[in-house]
Amino acid sequence: MCGSYRRVRRRVGRSTVVLLVLGVCVACDAPVTLDAPPPVVAGATEERALPPIAVSVVDAPIALSLGPALAALERAVPQTFGDLERRLRHPRNARQRFAFEARREPFRVTLEDDRLSIGTVVAYAGRGWYDPPLLPTVSASCGTDGPRPRVRARVESRLALTPDWSLKTRTRLASLTPYSDAERDACRITAFQIDVTDRVVDGVRGLLRRQLPRLDRELASWDIRSRLAHWYGLIGRPIPVRDSLWLLLRPGAVRYGGLTLTDTAVIADIRLFATPQLVSGPEPQIPVPSLPPFDTAASSVGDSARILLEARLDYATASSLLRDALVGRTFSRWQRRVQVDDVRLLPVGDGRVAFGLRFSGALRGEGWLLGTPQLDPTTGELIVPDLDFDLATGDALVRGLSFLRSDATLEALRTAARLPLAGPLDDLRGLVEGAMNRELADGVQLWATLTSARVVDVRAHPDAIIARAQTSGAIGLGIDRPLRTSGDDRR
């Protein structure tokens, strides 16, 4: 009897232990409810200052039309002059007479450094007469029955731009010589010792010298300052990029880089140095900037345009991007499995952000992780390397789910919690580039080409994630109307 009792007791004891173990396992499998409150929003911290962005260059070449000045010179200097029938006294021999008839070609222009050369070729014919004592007058000629001798004439005007944008010129007769040393280009009537070439050179020299002051007046009538001041003011206006977003070019120093020649226009190499800035809000009310004197020292600055872009990624959009990276991820240990079902991102207010993760499986409810957004310089993405559970969530995870706080789990969350910034920044770059390619005024086109944006900083703002990037490229003014002289404007 007693032995039977002892056997029954042992059986009952074993069953009780099994039931107790099963009960504990069932209790372990029961999901843990998590209802952690969102983190308390702290006061805003001081915004990080970025290093100053390099100065941008706006190419603004000005075309100065030579047409009016050349036309004035063409009108002032006859194309044909002289008369083969008009006998002129030789300056050193009373018995000799000579005559010539000349025709010049249209003036041609070249430019070397700041020296404007205006040249022409004069072809002529000559005759000579000699009155010998007691004998009839005899004559001879050259260039009347064959190729005419030629003379090359060149006028040189030195152009100087003063710091207050006034153009000063000094024109002189640079050379007047036979076209070549060939026999064709000499008109020497050797029978009478008359060199008609010298007489033609003297005649052309007198014609040109009398007209050089007029050429100086025409060239000096270019009003460079007022035209450049107008364009300078145009690029100082706010440029609309989109609703409540404006681009300010903020022009500063101006550099004059010399002159070049194309066709019949002198091109003045003008560069404006600017510090572009994007501004949000209502249209900025800024005064029209005044054109400064040109700065020769500014030539040491590069030739690129650089603009600091600020893309705003609102927290709803950032949350959507994080869902793609985190929703569906699972974490498990000891047959306890937890899955991320949803994500939301909120600002904390002190430069940090809060990740709200909604879980299912062994953990049900919403918990919070905190961290400070940073820039991954290698990928240009937003990362949160210090991401960790907040105190309220961490305390709840102690009860059988402490593995979620392990280094491996946190590292997996940090690796996945990345925000791509290239897309929104490239969209903003395209908007800015499109806004800058516009007509500022009749005949004045602002153009720009901007390369891909390079992220330089990210920060958590109370309203959005702010991504800052620098884009480079080229900016210029296209001016399709050459600046003409005041005389031409009157005509």
Side-chain angles (χ1 to χ4, degrees):
M1 180 72 177
C2 291
S4 299
Y5 174 76
R6 284 193 295 270
R7 287 193 296 273
V8 170
R9 184 180 178 183
R10 284 195 296 270
R11 292 192 191 99
V12 171
R14 292 191 190 101
S15 299
T16 302
V17 170
V18 170
L19 290 174
L20 287 172
V21 171
L22 290 174
V24 170
C25 292
V26 170
C28 290
D29 287 338
V32 175
T33 300
L34 178 64
D35 189 19
V40 177
V41 176
T45 57
E46 185 176 349
E47 184 177 326
R48 295 190 303 272
L50 287 177
I53 195 169
V55 175
S56 296
V57 177
V58 181
D59 286 315
I62 299 178
L64 310 171
S65 175
L66 285 173
L70 286 178
L73 190 61
E74 288 282 359
R75 291 191 300 269
V77 179
Q79 285 194 322
T80 60
F81 49 93
D83 185 350
L84 284 176
E85 300 302 324
R86 182 186 177 189
R87 301 184 185 189
L88 304 174
R89 184 181 299 276
H90 194 281
R92 292 183 298 276
N93 192 327
R95 292 187 175 276
Q96 292 181 358
R97 300 288 188 276
F98 71 95
F100 69 89
E101 178 184 84
R103 182 175 183 85
R104 66 169 179 83
E105 297 178 359
F107 288 107
R108 295 184 302 276
V109 181
T110 59
L111 183 69
E112 296 180 6
D113 296 328
D114 61 349
R115 296 188 303 275
L116 186 70
S117 293
I118 302 175
T120 187
V121 174
V122 178
Y124 65 94
R127 295 180 64 183
W129 292 268
Y130 181 67
D131 296 326
L134 308 175
L135 293 174
T137 299
V138 294
S139 67
S141 65
C142 66
T144 55
D145 297 324
R148 291 191 166 191
R150 296 162 298 178
V151 170
R152 191 194 303 272
R154 185 171 67 88
V155 171
E156 183 179 276
S157 184
R158 186 174 291 273
L159 307 179
L161 197 61
T162 64
D164 64 350
W165 302 104
S166 298
L167 185 68
K168 290 186 176 181
T169 64
R170 183 171 59 86
T171 305
R172 64 183 183 88
L173 181 61
S175 62
L176 189 56
T177 58
Y179 189 86
S180 72
D181 294 333
E183 184 178 351
R184 173 197 166 172
D185 293 319
C187 184
R188 297 184 182 90
I189 305 175
T190 57
F192 313 136
Q193 299 298 313
I194 297 176
D195 189 345
V196 180
T197 303
D198 290 343
R199 308 287 73 79
V200 173
V201 167
D202 290 341
V204 174
R205 180 182 291 110
L207 283 172
L208 291 177
R209 282 181 171 171
R210 286 193 296 272
Q211 301 305 326
L212 293 187
R214 179 171 183 177
L215 180 61
D216 272 335
R217 289 193 299 272
E218 288 287 338
L219 293 175
S221 66
W222 280 326
D223 185 7
I224 298 176
R225 178 179 175 78
S226 63
R227 189 66 60 90
L228 186 57
H230 174 64
W231 298 330
Y232 190 84
L234 289 177
I235 69 169
R237 298 175 182 174
I239 298 173
V241 176
R242 63 185 180 196
D243 290 344
S244 300
L245 185 62
W246 307 86
L247 175 67
L248 304 181
L249 291 179
R250 299 194 302 175
V254 184
R255 183 183 71 85
Y256 164 63
L259 302 171
T260 56
L261 181 69
T262 174
D263 296 329
T264 59
V266 173
I267 308 299
D269 177 20
I270 306 296
R271 287 184 169 185
L272 313 178
F273 295 92
T275 52
Q277 178 186 17
L278 284 174
V279 177
S280 58
E283 180 178 357
Q285 302 300 313
I286 56 177
V288 177
S290 299
L291 177 68
F294 67 73
D295 183 3
T296 55
S299 59
S300 60
V301 182
D303 59 358
S304 297
R306 299 170 182 86
I307 300 177
L308 186 65
L309 304 177
E310 279 197 355
R312 301 175 64 87
L313 190 65
D314 63 79
Y315 287 101
T317 302
S319 299
S320 177
L321 294 172
L322 286 171
R323 289 188 188 101
D324 295 337
L326 291 173
V327 170
R329 283 187 170 265
T330 60
F331 306 93
S332 60
R333 184 177 292 183
W334 301 315
Q335 298 183 351
R336 303 282 281 171
R337 182 174 178 274
V338 176
Q339 177 175 302
V340 178
D341 287 346
D342 197 12
V343 183
R344 60 173 172 153
L345 189 67
L346 297 177
V348 177
D350 58 357
R352 296 183 298 166
V353 292
F355 287 71
L357 303 185
R358 183 163 293 280
F359 300 101
S360 64
L363 182 66
R364 295 181 180 179
E366 187 176 42
W368 294 90
L369 297 93
L370 297 176
T372 304
Q374 295 183 17
L375 172 67
D376 185 338
T378 303
T379 64
E381 295 175 308
L382 179 149
I383 59 174
V384 190
D386 61 345
L387 190 65
D388 200 354
F389 289 100
D390 72 339
L391 289 177
T393 305
D395 290 344
L397 297 179
V398 173
R399 295 173 294 169
L401 294 169
S402 59
F403 71 89
L404 289 176
R405 299 188 62 182
S406 68
D407 291 342
T409 301
L410 286 173
E411 186 60 32
L413 288 171
R414 292 166 184 165
T415 302
R418 290 172 168 261
L419 289 177
L421 302 174
L425 283 168
D426 198 54
D427 291 343
L428 181 58
R429 179 202 59 79
L431 283 173
V432 172
E433 183 180 88
M436 294 178 70
N437 284 277
R438 61 193 296 116
E439 188 176 54
L440 296 179
D442 187 21
V444 182
Q445 182 77 26
L446 178 67
W447 60 266
T449 56
L450 302 178
T451 60
S452 299
R454 178 177 62 86
V455 186
V456 295
D457 185 51
V458 294
R459 57 188 174 88
H461 189 272
D463 299 325
I465 299 286
I466 304 296
R468 288 173 169 175
Q470 180 176 300
T471 183
S472 59
I475 308 175
L477 286 177
I479 303 164
D480 62 7
R481 294 187 177 183
L483 179 60
R484 301 181 181 276
T485 62
S486 60
D488 184 70
D489 293 338
R490 287 193 299 271
R491 287 188 293 272

